[in-house]
Amino acid sequence: MAVNNVLARIESVLQEERVFPPPKEFSRRARLKSLAQYRKLYKESIAAPERFWAKRAKEELVWFKRWTKVLQWQEPFAKWFAGGQINVSDNCLDRHLGTATANKAALIWEGEPAAPGKPGEERTLTYKQLHHEVCRFANVLKRNGIKAGDRVLIYLPMVPEAAIAMLACARIGAVHSVVFGGFSAQSVADRIQDSQAKLVVTADGGFRRGAVVPLKQNVDEALTLEDARGGLLAKSIEKVIVLRRASNEVQIQEGRDVWWHQELEQVDAHCPAEKMDSEAPLFILYTSGSTGKPKGILHTTAGYLLYSKLTTRYVFDLRDEDVFWCTADVGWVTGHSYVVYGPLANGATSLMYEGAPNYPEPDRFWRIVEKYGVTILYTAPTAIRAFMKWGVEWPRKHDLSSLRLLGTVGEPINPEAWIWYREHIGGNRCPIVDTWWQTETGGILITPLPGATPTKPGSATLPFFGIVPEVVDDYGRPVPPNSGGKLVIRKPWPAMLRGLWGDPHRYQQVYWGEVEHSYFTGDGSRQDKDGYYWIVGRIDDVLNVAGHRIGTAEVESALVSHQKVAEAAVVGRTDAMKGQALVAFVTVKSGVHTDGALREELRQHVAKEIGPVAKPDDIRFAEVLPKTRSGKIMRRLLKQIAAGTEIKGDTTTLEDLGVLARLSHAEE
Ligand code: WTA
């Protein structure tokens, strides 16, 4: 993976010069009030990381048994707080029970309106109530054969039960793997096979823009899918627990499927939290990589909990009275760390919304901000660009004065969107935290601290405590300021992934094999003269489409699994709304007619294989794909064709130059 393509992209990154110091009013009350304060703590955190983290682990977490060693590091394998015993659900719930937080709202949930004009359902769970529900559901899991270490696949809409199911797993030491409700039956089956999950928690259906997503039906289908040798992919599944949500019709298979509400009748609310080792697996979350198969990112207990708790508090400068709304789905890591674990560990009020930002109307978010007095809003650049397109009249209809801090995550934010967000949502009064991190990192690594860090539109600014990033060249040498390079992290941190589920070798290779003694992020970046990081985006074959990580290889293998397709290559092109869009170059088998109908058929096929988020935006048919003499598809060339830019570089190794001209012109 060469640095060249990063350099090219950096030239195009706007030379942003504006600097926004933290608003005085904000800094006055903030936990950290100046850059000097940040720098002092940061220095401490990297000079003596073990001391720094041990102090926080002692202050922040409730332990059954204190650890014996803060960090055991045998590259690339880390153990944090080894020898300790702790429980995540105990730290998110029980610890608040004897305090004033017990009767505070832990979760505020707003459902999607069943139809335009109808109000959304709403539900609030205090810490006491949430604890009660989690204990009961943990007993349901036990009743259905789940023990510590077992894997549970969670495939639910954005309802409180998703958080309840996660916390119930954590309570009894089961390992959850949440699969985003927009993924297909095939994706569910693949993840079950890889994780060897014993149980699925799902719902009859979920609401999305007024339609019902048939989740249970997808699970039923997943449980019938076979691998290439005719074996069932999901044969490890023994039980399916079904939540009634959309009341759509579902099949219940006697002996295998049980209803959530009926099971609850069989249990009480007494369920002590299991004493888990610091390094016990907490969850597996699948994410796209540069090869065909999604990777099961493994996170463990104590380090993840500490880091998600601390980042939530410092990055969002959390206060007791905040209403914190992170708009991510729990199916993504952002939902894990900043809807569920981080906020709850802090005793905060976390808001969950089930639906889309523009259903029934484009002011849905602003309605919710006004209704609940949201103080912190954390969302994705792709959503902000959509709001810009829909127009300022929608936020203007609502009183947004409760907001005091804004955040973004998931992709680079363009300065125009940043400025718009600041002005039209934040009323020029709220600081913006542009937070850079990944599924693998467990929590935010590069970010402003809102009372301390002057911000620059488009820059994620500076590293969080204990994080040592660097921008390096192809040989792993640091590059000078303003030069592009690969973003690596030099030192282990508490929330780092502990591996890929069942594949330590691939973990070593993908993350620690690219740059010596460093974690390779897959992102390109530059650092400016002030030491600020500007993340340019992925430099591997992973695309970021509307904030969703999509591996091109995964889409290619979905396309070639279609009977009419001979070969496929997928590349990204810049898209004003989604950041990046997927362009597929496809050659078909002989005799197959290529037309608009086939194009749609292929798009649907990808949706079925992976999920609607992976549908190519553009499919171009070709007689052959341009290849080098050694048979490698010339992706660089395809990217240029997809972007509609002039063809640069040496193309004499092309098998068929004529193919170029034909591909350069979009079909029809
Ligand atoms: C990108 C989401 C620029 C990046 C938490 C990373 C960002 C990938 C930012 C991880 C940001 C995330 N600025 N790029 N603030 N945040 N990214 O695993 O390319 O879904 O590698 O985790 O999103 O996506 P993931």
Side-chain angles (χ1 to χ4, degrees):
M1 194 174 311
V3 156
N4 290 357
N5 31 5
V6 190
L7 289 171
R9 251 188 273 171
I10 279 175
E11 282 171 38
S12 69
V13 167
L14 208 122
Q15 285 301 305
E16 182 58 52
E17 303 258 300
R18 285 169 286 192
V19 180
F20 294 85
K24 281 214 177 59
E25 181 53 23
F26 191 95
S27 296
R28 199 173 52 78
R29 288 187 59 191
R31 205 159 266 113
L32 285 186
K33 302 177 193 327
S34 71
L35 204 53
Q37 243 183 338
Y38 155 78
R39 289 209 195 276
K40 183 168 170 284
L41 255 182
Y42 176 72
K43 225 167 154 184
E44 237 178 80
S45 75
I46 56 167
E50 298 192 23
R51 193 179 334 137
F52 179 88
W53 290 114
K55 179 167 186 279
R56 268 75 200 172
K58 203 158 73 186
E59 287 168 1
E60 301 288 340
L61 305 181
V62 179
W63 296 84
F64 294 121
K65 184 170 157 247
R66 186 66 66 81
W67 60 91
T68 49
K69 183 126 183 50
V70 181
L71 170 64
Q72 260 173 32
W73 177 233
Q74 259 190 318
E75 190 192 308
F77 298 101
K79 282 190 180 152
W80 284 89
F81 309 110
Q85 284 188 332
I86 190 165
N87 185 289
V88 168
S89 143
D90 182 54
N91 271 276
C92 289
L93 302 169
D94 307 52
R95 72 167 303 166
H96 305 304
L97 293 189
T99 73
T101 309
N103 293 313
K104 173 179 174 178
L107 292 177
I108 294 178
W109 174 75
E110 170 88 10
E112 193 183 91
K118 285 202 181 159
E121 273 178 77
E122 53 177 78
R123 214 173 134 194
T124 299
L125 287 161
T126 64
Y127 275 89
K128 211 186 256 174
Q129 290 169 322
L130 184 59
H131 174 263
H132 185 81
E133 293 303 319
V134 167
C135 288
R136 289 172 78 205
F137 192 67
N139 282 334
V140 168
L141 290 174
K142 284 197 216 166
R143 223 178 93 75
N144 283 280
I146 297 302
K147 295 184 298 295
D150 287 342
R151 271 80 63 208
V152 172
L153 189 123
I154 299 175
Y155 185 57
L156 285 170
M158 270 297 274
V159 290
E161 283 78 3
I164 292 170
M166 291 163 74
L167 289 159
C169 287
R171 193 162 190 88
I172 62 171
V175 184
H176 61 69
S177 182
V178 184
V179 177
F180 174 54
F183 278 132
S184 66
Q186 182 70 48
S187 296
V188 171
D190 291 341
R191 283 155 176 74
I192 292 172
Q193 189 204 28
D194 191 77
S195 64
Q196 291 292 297
K198 272 173 76 174
L199 185 147
V200 179
V201 184
T202 190
D204 47 5
F207 294 113
R208 190 71 185 170
R209 291 202 173 86
V212 172
V213 184
L215 296 170
K216 172 62 165 68
Q217 198 184 308
N218 290 351
V219 171
D220 291 342
E221 192 191 333
L223 298 187
T224 65
L225 293 174
E226 296 176 349
D227 62 18
R229 273 177 271 130
L232 280 184
L233 282 170
K235 59 176 175 294
S236 57
I237 293 298
E238 293 166 11
K239 285 285 173 74
V240 179
I241 302 179
V242 189
L243 174 77
R244 181 168 283 158
R245 167 72 193 125
S247 296
N248 51 322
E249 202 160 315
V250 294
Q251 307 273 334
I252 294 293
Q253 185 176 311
E254 215 50 56
R256 185 194 72 188
D257 304 346
V258 294
W259 284 104
W260 179 305
H261 61 275
Q262 287 179 356
E263 286 296 298
L264 281 187
E265 288 167 15
Q266 309 297 321
V267 296
D268 62 22
H270 178 70
C271 180
E274 200 73 36
K275 296 186 171 82
M276 302 307 296
D277 283 345
S278 293
E279 281 296 335
L282 177 66
F283 66 85
I284 305 168
L285 191 57
Y286 286 85
T287 189
S288 295
S290 31
T291 56
K293 216 173 114 202
K295 305 175 286 195
I297 306 295
L298 174 65
H299 283 287
T300 59
T301 300
Y304 171 81
L305 176 66
L306 177 62
Y307 197 83
S308 57
K309 180 173 182 186
L310 220 64
T311 47
T312 308
R313 185 128 50 79
Y314 278 96
V315 174
F316 301 103
D317 196 49
L318 206 60
R319 294 180 200 156
D320 196 32
E321 65 274 21
D322 275 322
V323 177
F324 180 79
W325 184 17
C326 164
T327 68
D329 192 283
V330 288
W332 310 113
V333 74
T334 310
H336 284 59
S337 302
Y338 301 109
V339 174
V340 181
Y341 294 120
L344 298 180
N346 281 295
T349 296
S350 178
L351 192 140
M352 264 178 114
Y353 168 52
E354 181 182 29
N358 58 348
Y359 183 84
E361 289 199 296
D363 66 344
R364 194 71 184 106
F365 271 29
W366 320 125
R367 223 174 247 286
I368 294 173
V369 168
E370 181 172 2
K371 176 172 171 187
Y372 297 104
V374 172
T375 55
I376 303 171
L377 177 68
Y378 187 33
T379 194
T382 190
I384 298 166
R385 290 191 295 265
F387 296 137
M388 288 171 77
K389 190 175 102 183
W390 297 332
V392 290
E393 61 269 30
W394 297 103
R396 269 201 200 131
K397 282 183 189 193
H398 299 278
D399 177 5
L400 306 182
S401 61
S402 59
L403 288 171
R404 61 179 200 91
L405 176 65
L406 305 174
T408 76
V409 60
E411 49 179 320
I413 182 164
N414 46 315
E416 300 73 27
W418 195 99
I419 296 286
W420 188 93
Y421 194 33
R422 184 184 141 86
E423 183 176 335
H424 296 290
I425 306 303
N428 290 322
R429 113 197 133 255
C430 306
I432 296 181
V433 288
D434 172 359
T435 64
W436 176 88
W437 61 296
Q438 313 178 295
T439 306
E440 291 86 342
T441 70
I444 295 165
L445 297 199
I446 302 182
T447 177
L449 297 183
T453 317
T455 50
K456 304 182 187 183
S459 170
T461 77
L462 299 167
F464 190 73
F465 307 131
I467 304 302
V468 188
E470 199 148 41
V471 182
V472 301
D473 66 14
D474 282 337
Y475 303 97
R477 295 174 306 211
V479 300
N482 279 324
S483 312
K486 299 171 178 177
L487 179 66
V488 298
I489 311 292
R490 297 289 203 191
K491 293 271 166 59
W493 65 100
M496 65 187 276
L497 76 164
R498 297 302 195 266
L500 296 181
W501 185 253
D503 201 346
H505 176 69
R506 192 173 168 207
Y507 165 62
Q508 148 74 42
Q509 213 184 6
V510 171
Y511 298 103
W512 297 86
E514 179 87 13
V515 177
E516 262 201 348
H517 304 310
S518 299
Y519 166 82
F520 176 51
T521 62
D523 278 331
S525 180
R526 77 177 162 101
Q527 229 184 332
D528 68 17
K529 58 178 189 341
D530 299 324
Y532 278 35
Y533 290 87
W534 298 73
I535 315 291
V536 199
R538 306 290 309 193
I539 52 172
D540 52 7
D541 291 320
V542 176
L543 301 179
N544 196 322
V545 179
H548 299 317
R549 249 170 92 164
I550 296 172
T552 52
E554 224 179 303
V555 183
E556 286 164 6
S557 81
L559 283 166
V560 295
S561 74
H562 190 280
Q563 51 177 9
K564 293 180 186 163
V565 173
E567 205 172 21
V570 174
V571 298
R573 74 163 147 72
T574 308
D575 182 273
M577 291 304 290
K578 300 202 272 187
Q580 284 188 295
L582 288 164
V583 182
F585 294 90
V586 171
T587 64
V588 292
K589 292 186 180 153
S590 66
V592 173
H593 185 58
T594 56
D595 55 11
L598 179 61
R599 203 168 272 134
E600 195 42 38
E601 193 178 320
L602 295 182
R603 282 166 49 79
Q604 290 312 327
H605 180 71
V606 174
K608 189 161 173 293
E609 289 292 306
I610 305 172
V613 288
K615 274 198 275 191
D617 299 272
D618 198 354
I619 295 182
R620 301 203 196 167
F621 295 113
E623 273 160 44
V624 273
L625 295 178
K627 289 189 186 152
T628 60
R629 285 207 187 94
S630 61
K632 277 188 79 177
I633 292 178
M634 301 177 80
R635 290 177 174 279
R636 179 180 49 83
L637 189 67
L638 290 179
K639 279 180 201 162
Q640 289 173 3
I641 297 169
T645 50
E646 222 180 300
I647 311 299
K648 291 190 209 123
D650 175 25
T651 54
T652 52
T653 46
L654 270 182
E655 226 180 46
D656 174 4
L657 279 169
V659 82
L660 245 183
R662 284 197 292 277
L663 286 173
S664 307
H665 298 100
E667 295 272 334
E668 293 164 4

